[in-house]
Amino acid sequence: MDGVFDHKRDDDKSPSPAEHHSSQSSLSTIDGVEMEHMPPDEETVDDEETGLTSEGRQQRNKRKRTNTMLDARIASETSTMKLDQLLADRSVLRKSVVNAVLIGLWYLFSLSISLYNKWMFSDDHLHFPFPLFTTSMHMLVQFSLASLVLYFVPRFRPRSDSITNPHSGPTDNSTQSRASSDANPEKPLMTRTFYLTRIGPCGAATGLDIGLGNMSLRFITLTFYTMCKSSALAFVLAFAFIFHLETPSIKLVLIIATMTVGVIMMVAGETFFNTTGFILVISASAFSGFRWALTQILLLRNPATSNPFSSIFYLAPIMFASLLLIALPVEGVAPLFSALSDLAAAKGLLLTIGILLFPGILAFLMTSSEFALLQRTSVVTLSICGIFKEVVTISAAGIVFHDPLTPINVSGLLVTIASIAAYNYIKITKMRKEARNAEGSGGVNASTEYVRVAGAEDGVVDGDGDAPTGSALLIRDGEGIAAASKRMMESDGQAPAPDSRRASPEHKISGQS
């Protein structure tokens, strides 16, 4: 009996398959919990399934989690980098398109002025032989348009801190603006003495530069005019040496000598050479160099001429008066009225007025596009485009007016352009070196101000709607407009406003090509 009962008790204790599985799961769970709470010295039991200890298994899981997060972070950073690169490419493309449009407009307006003046003053076309009077009318147009710009766009209005703080608006209430106002509370922006002694000479020289250049088109071809006008840089450097704006060096002297050789070659190869026209265009080039030197000396520090629109506003009346005073005795009052009457009878009164004033509108639009291009790019871009523009002008003159070119002409032109390119290369290399030194020493890039005003200090263009190529770089070595302004103001005992502005990336020469 006892054996029977013992056997029965054993059968009762035998678990079913389900109970056996449940009990095994419970044991596994309990073992896992116990393993997690085992002290470090007890975690050395081998895992039969993986061959790892519990400590190794935990480290493996930790590495998996770390790798998963790292992969997700790398994927996120890669996606962000691709998005940033796409946005940067789009921004560069958009800026390139805008710059290309501005360059095209600059070429269009400048080329239109050259072709129009040649058509108007030449004996073979409209034959209105009064270029000085006509150019004086252009000054009135530019003065009127500049007045409208200053009235409707207040940020271009000259202020006392226009040079030291060019990015602040006329209603800016910053501490710097208040400090500048407090420093000279009663000093006017423009005085009669300053206007007559500084604006006057610059305006007169600029007027003669443009007027004599336009007058020469009566006697010489547009091609020859463009080639001779490219020699203006030689006069710019010469006057810079005279007024100690540029330090003489062997390289610069060689550039002037090479350019002189180029001009001689162009003159020797000219088929229809005219002595009067040549003297007029060379005189215009000389006045161009002289007026750039005067601009550097007289107007560099004045906030009234801090942008082309305010410069035209102040300079145009002087240019109008100087040109008109020369035009009346030289060109004659009676012949002028007779020619105007004949033109009005042939073309009509309204069209006659349009013919006289339209080039002034073109010159103003050209100045605006050049200024906008300079603000978005750099003087490097403007210099390169200016050299290429001369080639475009000569090509257009050959197509429109069938101006002949001889091999000697072309050779002289290439020599002159090579001299201009060499000068620009020397100045740009020097400016980049100074920029790197300034950035390395933690200082503000002095070349920034070269970019902001180069090519448009006085805001008035030559007769063909252009400034002397490369002449805008003639600031004293290592010195920008703000630094030069501060130095010159200190020499007069004035207290310039402190310049807290940092150089923005788009204004750095070293960042442009």
Side-chain angles (χ1 to χ4, degrees):
M1 291 292 292
D2 291 339
V4 174
F5 286 118
D6 290 338
H7 179 70
K8 186 175 181 180
R9 283 195 297 272
D10 293 336
D11 293 338
D12 293 336
K13 292 179 181 178
S14 299
S16 63
E19 292 174 346
H20 177 73
H21 180 72
S22 175
S23 62
Q24 290 293 332
S25 299
S26 300
L27 289 173
S28 299
T29 304
I30 293 172
D31 291 339
V33 174
E34 290 177 352
M35 287 293 292
E36 290 179 359
H37 296 281
M38 286 178 64
D41 58 345
E42 295 179 10
E43 291 182 353
T44 57
V45 180
D46 292 339
D47 190 337
E48 295 179 356
E49 296 180 359
T50 62
L52 298 174
T53 63
S54 177
E55 182 180 3
R57 187 171 64 252
Q58 291 178 2
Q59 292 178 353
R60 184 187 65 179
N61 293 336
K62 184 178 180 180
R63 285 195 300 269
K64 286 183 177 180
R65 289 194 299 269
T66 302
N67 291 337
T68 300
M69 290 187 294
L70 183 60
D71 292 341
R73 189 181 305 117
I74 292 175
S76 176
E77 291 178 355
T78 303
S79 177
T80 303
M81 290 176 61
K82 289 182 178 180
L83 180 60
D84 291 342
Q85 184 177 1
L86 179 61
L87 293 176
D89 291 341
R90 288 181 178 177
S91 177
V92 170
L93 179 61
R94 182 169 58 253
K95 290 180 180 179
S96 299
V97 171
V98 174
N99 292 342
V101 171
L102 290 175
I103 292 173
L105 291 175
W106 181 37
Y107 280 19
L108 175 63
F109 296 137
S110 177
L111 187 61
S112 299
I113 293 171
S114 300
L115 296 176
Y116 191 96
N117 287 339
K118 177 61 179 176
W119 169 81
M120 185 172 185
F121 303 133
S122 176
D123 295 340
D124 300 330
H125 300 91
L126 182 64
H127 186 52
F128 186 77
F130 300 94
L132 295 177
F133 171 79
T134 305
T135 306
S136 68
M137 296 296 104
H138 298 170
M139 297 304 115
L140 285 183
V141 173
Q142 294 194 60
F143 172 78
S144 302
L145 294 176
S147 302
L148 292 176
V149 169
L150 295 178
Y151 181 80
F152 289 106
V153 188
R155 70 186 183 92
F156 289 123
R157 296 175 188 173
R159 310 178 312 276
S160 59
D161 63 339
S162 294
I163 294 178
T164 57
N165 189 23
H167 297 292
S168 64
T171 59
D172 187 13
N173 294 323
S174 63
T175 304
Q176 182 174 347
S177 298
R178 290 196 300 270
S180 177
S181 299
D182 295 339
N184 298 286
E186 298 181 357
K187 183 178 180 180
L189 191 63
M190 178 66 64
T191 63
R192 181 180 301 176
T193 301
F194 186 91
Y195 191 83
L196 294 177
T197 59
R198 303 205 175 193
I199 298 291
C202 292
T206 305
L208 290 173
D209 169 22
I210 301 174
L212 294 178
N214 288 341
M215 193 173 183
S216 69
L217 290 173
R218 289 184 55 192
F219 308 100
I220 60 177
T221 63
L222 179 58
T223 299
F224 189 58
Y225 165 85
T226 304
M227 291 189 293
C228 291
K229 207 67 167 65
S230 64
S231 65
L233 178 58
F235 292 99
V236 170
L237 289 174
F239 283 109
F241 293 157
I242 294 173
F243 294 116
H244 303 287
L245 296 173
E246 187 80 17
T247 303
S249 65
I250 296 177
K251 292 181 180 179
L252 295 181
V253 172
L254 287 177
I255 286 175
I256 295 178
T258 305
M259 194 171 297
T260 303
V261 172
V263 173
I264 294 174
M265 293 174 65
M266 289 186 292
V267 171
E270 177 62 18
T271 305
F272 302 103
F273 179 78
N274 184 284
T275 304
T276 303
F278 175 72
I279 293 175
L280 287 172
V281 71
I282 289 298
S283 300
S285 299
F287 275 109
S288 179
F290 181 62
R291 62 111 167 180
W292 280 101
L294 287 180
T295 298
Q296 298 284 340
I297 296 172
L298 303 181
L299 301 185
L300 188 65
R301 60 175 169 168
N302 192 265
T305 55
S306 58
N307 67 72
F309 305 110
S310 61
S311 299
I312 293 174
F313 178 80
Y314 286 110
L315 286 167
I318 293 291
M319 291 188 288
F320 165 76
S322 60
L323 287 171
L324 190 62
L325 288 176
I326 297 175
L328 293 180
V330 171
E331 297 176 342
V333 177
L336 173 62
F337 278 102
S338 176
L340 287 174
S341 300
D342 294 340
L343 186 61
K347 304 290 185 180
L349 180 60
L350 293 179
L351 185 56
T352 299
I353 296 175
I355 290 174
L356 290 176
L357 303 183
F358 182 64
I361 299 175
L362 289 177
F364 185 83
L365 292 176
M366 197 287 313
T367 302
S368 303
S369 60
E370 182 184 16
F371 179 63
L373 178 63
L374 196 59
Q375 291 293 306
R376 294 181 58 87
T377 57
S378 71
V379 71
V380 182
T381 303
L382 201 68
S383 298
I384 295 173
C385 293
I387 294 173
F388 184 70
K389 185 176 68 64
E390 294 181 351
V391 178
V392 172
T393 303
I394 292 173
S395 302
I399 295 173
V400 176
F401 300 118
H402 307 288
D403 292 347
L405 278 175
T406 65
I408 301 179
N409 272 140
V410 176
S411 300
L413 176 63
L414 293 178
V415 169
T416 304
I417 291 178
S419 303
I420 297 172
Y423 172 77
N424 285 331
Y425 176 78
I426 292 173
K427 298 301 294 186
I428 291 165
T429 302
K430 184 176 181 180
M431 291 167 64
R432 283 180 171 173
K433 182 178 179 180
E434 292 170 352
R436 293 190 192 101
N437 294 336
E439 291 176 357
S441 61
V444 177
N445 183 2
S447 298
T448 300
E449 278 72 23
Y450 279 105
V451 179
R452 187 178 67 82
V453 298
E457 285 98 339
D458 58 2
V460 183
V461 297
D462 289 337
D464 60 346
D466 191 16
T469 306
S471 61
L473 300 178
L474 290 177
I475 310 296
R476 292 186 179 179
D477 294 345
E479 185 176 51
I481 289 294
S485 173
K486 181 178 179 181
R487 170 180 54 76
M488 297 176 71
M489 292 174 73
E490 288 176 346
S491 66
D492 287 348
Q494 302 177 18
D499 187 5
S500 60
R501 176 175 60 87
R502 294 180 61 87
S504 56
E506 64 269 21
H507 284 165
K508 292 182 180 179
I509 279 289
S510 57
Q512 303 294 340
S513 59

